Each structure stands twice: as C-alpha cells, then as structure tokens.
Amino acid sequence: MAKKKKSWINQHLNDGWVREANKQGYRSRAAFKLEQLDKQDRLLKPGQTVVDLGATPGGWSQYAARKLGEKGNIIAIDIVSMVDIAGVSFLHGDFNDVKVQKSFAALLNGEKADIVISDMAPNISGVKDKDEAGFSDLFFSILQFVDSNLRSGGNLVVKGFEGVSAGELRKKCKRLFQTVSIRKPEASRDKSRERYLVAKGYFGPNSFRKTN
Ligand SMILES: C[S@@+](CC[C@H](N)C(=O)[O-])C[C@H]1O[C@@H](n2cnc3c(N)ncnc32)[C@H](O)[C@@H]1O
C-alpha cells in the first residue's frame, strides 16, 4: 500500500470523531459537523422539509432524520447510491439533472423546502484557477436550485473552502439572505480549508435572478 494512503488510513482510524461516529451509528464523521452547525445556528426543527444535496454515505441525512423524528420530510440527492435511511427519500443522480429535478418536484408536491444543506465539493485538481472556477460553478448551481426550491424565510448551509472565491460568494449570498455567517465546526479537521456558509432568512424566489 502506498505510504501516503496508509498514513491517511491510520489518521482516519485514530480520529476521535470517526470513533464517535461508529459508536453512535453514523455512517460518517461529517454528521458531527452538521450537528455542531445546528447547535450553533438552530437550523433543524421537527416538521421541516430538508433537502440534503450530495448526501452519500448519509451522515447528514441520518442526523437530520434523528433530529426531525417522524415529523419531517428529508430528501437526499447524490450521484453515488446510498443505503436506505428510515425517514429519508433518496434520489440517485446529479442535482442539476432535469430528470432528478422532476422526481424532486414530485416528492415536494408543490411545497418548498425549509432548508437546503449541501456538503458537496467539486473534484479538486490542485490547479488553483481551475478549482476556483469549479467551486464557483457548483455554488451558483446550488443558488439556482435554491431559487426554485427554497421557501421565503428558509435557510441554506453550503460547504466552501477558505480563499476560494469566498468573498464574492459571500457577498452574493448577503443579497439573498438576511444573515450570512462562515463557520468552521469543531469536527472539521484543523488543517482542512473547508468552511461552511450558513445563510438564514431567504428573501424569496427569483432573488437570485434579480441579483444577476
Ligand atoms: C463529502 S460527501 C457528503 C458526505 C455527507 N454529507 C455525509 O454526511 O455523509 C459529498 C457528496 O457529494 C456528492 N456530489 C458531488 N457533486 C454532486 C452533484 N452534482 N449532484 C449530486 N451529488 C453530488 C458526491 O457524490 C459525494 O457523495
């Protein structure tokens, strides 16, 4: 086994959040990132409709299902298949895909989501300009999705990376939401540049188009 891969596996197995995830039956340590964001920003409540973009293996959806209990509607989407989670409807495919969006609209049945959460990232190439462009494209696709599917007053959580067009994207979100905060949950590895943008109080459909 290559040295780099072996050291990543050792680091992963020695990670306290991984051990805690195993103990609590979560499929990924990422569940604790959402838990910590939720505790700080009070995002998830029983009765909500939650959309989890890029959900596999399912830690965030598991956390949302536990928090919402039976009084919740969780729709998870991913290009990689996901083992079923009770209380979560899964759509297999790219969230930009027209077919996936049609199935999604059918599940929402004319309703809008209370919150959209995204832990997606573009494929990282290591080439700064290329990665910035990939990240911006993904972010704008998420905002387009939000424009059609999030209710007025709803909230958004999106994974981003420090320094990658962050200022521009944050500015954009400030025109669409009442408050925008950048968070680094404790469960996010110190050396990772990942950050989470938490935007609350959506101004409503078409705000995205109006600001373009
Ligand atoms: C970091 S993982 C998500 C981990 C998840 N939050 C958890 O708690 O287990 C990111 C996921 O985003 C998915 N993804 C990336 N781009 C996507 C797209 N355009 N449409 C749907 N899923 C996507 C990937 O397949 C991957 O499973």
Side-chain angles (χ1 to χ4, degrees), residues 20-197:
E20 196 53 31
N22 288 333
K23 207 161 108 191
Q24 294 192 30
Y26 282 124
R27 294 175 188 171
S28 65
R29 68 196 296 291
F32 297 112
K33 299 181 199 171
L34 182 62
E35 181 183 44
Q36 287 155 14
L37 294 169
D38 183 31
K39 283 199 172 132
Q40 184 165 14
D41 290 295
R42 292 201 227 119
L43 298 165
L44 297 172
K45 296 181 185 89
Q48 285 181 330
T49 294
V50 179
V51 184
D52 184 3
L53 298 177
T56 302
W60 280 26
S61 283
Q62 284 180 298
Y63 173 77
R66 290 181 194 185
K67 180 79 193 277
L68 269 56
E70 281 174 12
K71 289 190 203 137
N73 180 20
I74 301 161
I75 303 169
I77 304 177
D78 206 296
I79 43 182
V80 174
S81 62
M82 185 171 89
V83 176
D84 287 349
I85 298 171
V88 178
S89 308
F90 180 70
L91 296 174
H92 190 182
D94 187 320
F95 78 101
N96 291 303
D97 188 286
V98 178
K99 261 195 188 158
V100 172
Q101 296 204 352
K102 274 193 184 155
S103 312
F104 175 74
L107 282 174
L108 275 188
N109 199 17
E111 300 287 313
K112 298 252 178 188
D114 296 293
I115 178 163
V116 173
I117 55 179
S118 164
D119 200 15
M120 294 184 290
N123 289 329
I124 301 294
S125 67
V127 180
K128 191 170 173 274
D129 289 351
K130 199 174 162 196
D131 290 342
E132 287 219 8
F135 181 75
S136 279
D137 287 351
L138 177 64
F139 195 84
F140 285 106
S141 304
I142 294 170
L143 289 183
Q144 260 163 345
F145 182 90
V146 159
D147 193 49
S148 316
N149 298 301
L150 185 67
R151 72 163 170 83
S152 296
N155 301 329
L156 170 69
V157 176
V158 192
K159 173 154 73 183
F161 289 90
E162 188 189 37
V164 187
S165 314
E168 187 203 333
L169 301 178
R170 191 178 178 173
K171 224 157 82 190
K172 179 110 209 150
C173 272
K174 278 190 164 168
R175 283 187 250 134
L176 304 176
F177 291 85
Q178 279 166 10
T179 62
V180 178
S181 315
I182 304 296
R183 306 287 188 213
K184 171 80 174 167
E186 219 187 296
S188 173
R189 290 190 170 96
D190 284 346
K191 63 180 179 197
S192 158
R193 286 166 62 221
E194 82 182 359
R195 299 287 182 274
Y196 288 85
L197 180 144

